[in-house]
Each structure stands twice: as structure tokens, then as C-alpha cells.
Amino acid sequence: MNAQKRKSPTRAVVLGGGGVTGIAWEVGVLAGLLESGVDLRRADVVIGTSAGAFVGTALASGYDMNKLFAAQLEPNPIEIPVNASKELIQAWYKAFIIGGSDPQKVGVEFGIIAKNNPSPVSPEQRHTVVESRLVTREWPAHLQVTAIDADTGQLHTFDHQSGVSLLDAVSASGAVPGIWPLVSIGDRIWTDGGMVSTTNARLAEGYERIVILSPMPNGYGSIPGAAEDAATMRTSADVYLISPDERSVAAIGPNPYDPTRRSVTAIAGREQGCSIAEAVLTMW
């Protein structure tokens, strides 16, 4: 054996937020990549935010992506159709104006929004939805899940060493203010990890090869989006950003929380995954 055998590069997969259609699109892309010979389940770390926390759980656990793709094509009566009101969206934009370029200040504002705009969905109903989406209750060793402390605005990552159940961590990561209820873990309350950054891609800094799936690639206010993060990170790593192509955008539609769009979005995502597989494989 060659004593100078080359060390394998470190690899990270980052899965961003994007509602129930974001889940379907990410699953479709991953299934399309896998069909074409690109297996991202071999990543050293999977970082999931909001929708990406659900998909990241499946990816990091080695779950069959074809099986998860097939599930997106079937109606799920447990999913709850919701929509962000104009007033709620205006409150979100105001949070970015007040917080400016300081992510923690923006996070505090979203915590206030969550407290002042109780979700129309009960914690019990949300618990049932989260359970229906998770493919396992066991923490994958290489998974990190993001959430924001609703009081301090600080971004936090949960993993298998955090002493927090996977169900609670993923619920917190997807607790969109005013859409889904806040999540209590210990003596803290948590809100969606994607409200300040849709992917939190910078958590992958230090890895040599990074694939980012971002259903919502654009930034908000003074907070950079996945595209800006990826451009900066390319100076120190090979980064491949995947965001919805034209067909996927049309499939997702105007409301990312509409479960009736899961099927068409997953199919569009799979076709997109197949179309970019060669380029991803070359980098990966």
C-alpha cells in the first residue's frame, strides 16, 4: 500500500429551509442525484435548517431516497395547509429592517413576532405533522440541526450529543414564526432556524467540498442569502449551490406551505437532480 496515500477530502451537505415544498424539492433533487450515481449520504456532516432538518435526518441516517421520493407523490392527510398573511409577511420584513445586518438582532425580532402571533396550529397538531415527516427517531451521528433562541436571537445547532430528542430539535428548526408554534426545550423557547439565513451555509466552513441545497436562495434585507455565502466560501472550498431551476420554481408555486404541491415539486426536483448530476459528481 502506498504510504503516501492521499487523504480523502472532507465533505458537507447543507440543506436549507423552504416549507413543505422545500422538503419535496430537496428529496427530489437528492433522488435524482442518487439515480445518476451521486450519493450525498457519504457526507462527513449534514447541516439541516427547517425543511432541511427533515430531509437532513433522512440523508444522514442513510435512508432510501427513492422510498422518500415515492412518499412525496402520495397525499399526506396529516399535513396542514397554511399560508402567511400579508400582515405576517410585513412583520417579517420589518424584522430585517430593525435588525439590519446583525443576525442576532434579527433573530430577536423574529422571536418577538412568534410570541405576538400565536400559531393557528396547536402544538399537538404540529407534533403529529413532525412525526409523520421523520423517517427515524434516532439521531444520526453526522447530523446538525439549527434553531434560533426566541429570546436571545442566537443561532444554535443541535446534534446527537445535545441531550435533546431529534423530534424536538427538528420541530424547533421548523417553527416558522406565526405559522407553526414555538418549541420549548428545557428552559428555552425556540423558533425557526431559517428566519435569519435560509441555509446557515457558513456553518459548513472548514470543509473542503460543500454541496448546498437551497429552495430559497435569496437573502432578506441586509442578511446575505445562500448565493452570497457560497460565493464567499468558494475562496477556501469547492462549493456547489443548487437552487430551484425554472421548472422547479413553477412547481413550488407562490406558497411554500401548500402540501398539494409536494408531488409536482418532487418530480421537478428529481429531473433537476438528474440534469446536474455530472457537474456535482465532478466536484464531490
Side-chain angles (χ1 to χ4, degrees):
M1 181 180 292
N2 188 346
Q4 301 299 320
K5 185 177 180 180
R6 185 178 179 184
K7 182 181 178 182
S8 297
T10 55
R11 296 176 172 88
V13 175
V14 178
L15 299 163
V20 68
T21 55
I23 293 174
W25 176 77
E26 290 180 351
V27 169
V29 171
L30 292 171
L33 289 173
L34 185 61
E35 178 184 333
S36 304
V38 185
D39 190 353
L40 298 186
R41 292 175 296 185
R42 299 179 180 180
D44 297 292
V45 67
V46 176
I47 301 169
T49 290
S50 198
F54 293 96
V55 183
T57 296
L59 185 69
S61 67
Y63 192 76
D64 184 348
M65 279 297 155
N66 289 317
K67 184 176 181 180
L68 192 57
F69 173 80
Q72 305 306 306
L73 307 184
E74 300 296 330
N76 182 358
I78 297 176
E79 289 286 352
I80 303 172
V82 292
N83 202 348
S85 67
K86 291 182 179 179
E87 293 75 18
L88 183 60
I89 293 174
Q90 288 174 351
W92 290 352
Y93 279 116
K94 186 177 179 181
F96 290 108
I97 294 173
I98 295 173
S101 60
D102 187 329
Q104 193 163 336
K105 288 183 180 178
V106 174
V108 168
E109 291 302 316
F110 274 111
I112 293 172
I113 292 170
K115 297 169 194 174
N116 291 342
N117 296 270
S119 169
V121 178
S122 72
E124 293 75 21
Q125 289 174 306
R126 177 60 174 167
H127 182 94
T128 301
V129 172
V130 172
E131 278 195 316
S132 76
R133 293 178 180 176
L134 284 177
V135 301
T136 181
R137 303 298 181 270
E138 300 296 324
W139 266 105
H142 304 302
L143 176 66
Q144 296 180 10
V145 171
T146 69
I148 294 174
D149 187 308
D151 292 318
T152 69
Q154 186 172 3
L155 180 70
H156 182 79
T157 56
F158 295 105
D159 61 22
H160 70 287
Q161 297 179 319
S162 298
V164 172
S165 75
L166 179 63
L167 191 146
D168 282 345
V170 173
S171 294
S173 188
V176 183
I179 298 291
W180 306 118
L182 286 160
V183 175
S184 296
I185 300 177
D187 60 351
R188 311 303 303 171
I189 53 174
W190 302 88
T191 191
D192 193 292
M195 298 313 296
V196 171
S197 169
T198 57
T199 61
N200 296 300
R202 291 197 170 277
L203 293 174
E205 286 186 317
Y207 289 87
E208 296 167 290
R209 297 181 183 177
I210 305 167
V211 174
I212 305 169
L213 274 70
S214 180
M216 296 178 171
N218 299 324
Y220 301 102
S222 303
I223 303 295
E228 292 88 347
D229 283 346
T232 301
M233 294 164 67
R234 285 191 182 101
T235 61
S236 59
D238 290 326
V239 181
Y240 198 102
L241 172 64
I242 307 171
S243 57
D245 60 12
E246 186 174 347
R247 179 167 182 176
S248 292
V249 169
I252 289 169
N255 178 16
Y257 311 110
D258 181 0
T260 67
R261 307 296 299 178
R262 292 167 63 242
S263 177
V264 293
T265 300
I267 292 171
R270 185 166 193 151
E271 292 181 356
Q272 184 177 352
C274 289
S275 72
I276 61 174
E278 185 175 350
V280 176
L281 182 61
T282 298
M283 185 279 283
W284 189 249

